[in-house]
Amino acid sequence: MTLATGSAAGAGGSGLTLLILALPIIFLLFLMFNQRRRARSVNEAQSQLQPGQEVMTTSGMFGVIRAVEADVIHLEAGGVVLRFQRRAILPMSMVGSLGGPAASDQGEGGPADGDTPTDTDGPTR
């Protein structure tokens, strides 16, 4: 009887072992497909960049597109026109959806573009 009891326990244990091994694999597959979907949507948005569109670079600089060449974007930020690789630009519609600061968060609580913060009360003690 001991052998029969041992084999019954082994059969139930193998199902649990299989479940424990399958869960991390399923989780990794989910992450992989989710990342592919995000990359595809970012590539599509970057291919549709147009002059006059407000964007953010991957380094966090905000500006307006002034010209679009093949893979080079001319971005105006603070009165200066800079050249960026197309892959380094994110449209403002993508900024909030990728976990970065939302477009509505910009300009609240900080100085406006071109303004410099001034301390009128003197040093804080």
Side-chain angles (χ1 to χ4, degrees):
M1 264 186 125
T2 339
L3 292 176
T5 309
S7 66
S14 67
L16 182 61
T17 305
L18 183 62
L19 181 65
I20 290 173
L21 292 175
L23 283 176
I25 293 171
I26 291 170
F27 181 68
L28 289 175
L29 286 173
F30 171 74
L31 289 178
M32 184 178 69
F33 286 120
N34 194 23
Q35 180 63 26
R36 258 192 211 158
R37 182 182 52 82
R38 279 186 180 169
R40 194 176 318 125
S41 66
V42 168
N43 285 338
E44 182 180 321
Q46 288 173 341
S47 68
Q48 298 173 356
L49 293 173
Q50 299 174 8
Q53 189 174 4
E54 187 175 352
V55 295
M56 182 182 87
T57 66
T58 54
S59 61
M61 181 184 300
F62 291 89
V64 178
I65 296 176
R66 290 298 169 212
V68 177
E69 294 177 5
D71 279 338
V72 177
I73 304 292
H74 296 264
L75 183 70
E76 181 179 352
V80 178
V81 178
L82 304 165
R83 293 174 27 163
F84 283 91
Q85 180 73 22
R86 181 183 293 266
R87 292 180 294 181
I89 304 290
L90 290 175
M92 292 305 286
S93 61
M94 297 292 297
V95 172
S97 66
L98 293 177
S104 62
D105 292 345
Q106 299 306 318
E108 294 180 11
D113 289 339
D115 291 344
T116 56
T118 58
D119 189 28
T120 58
D121 296 334
T124 306
R125 296 178 196 231

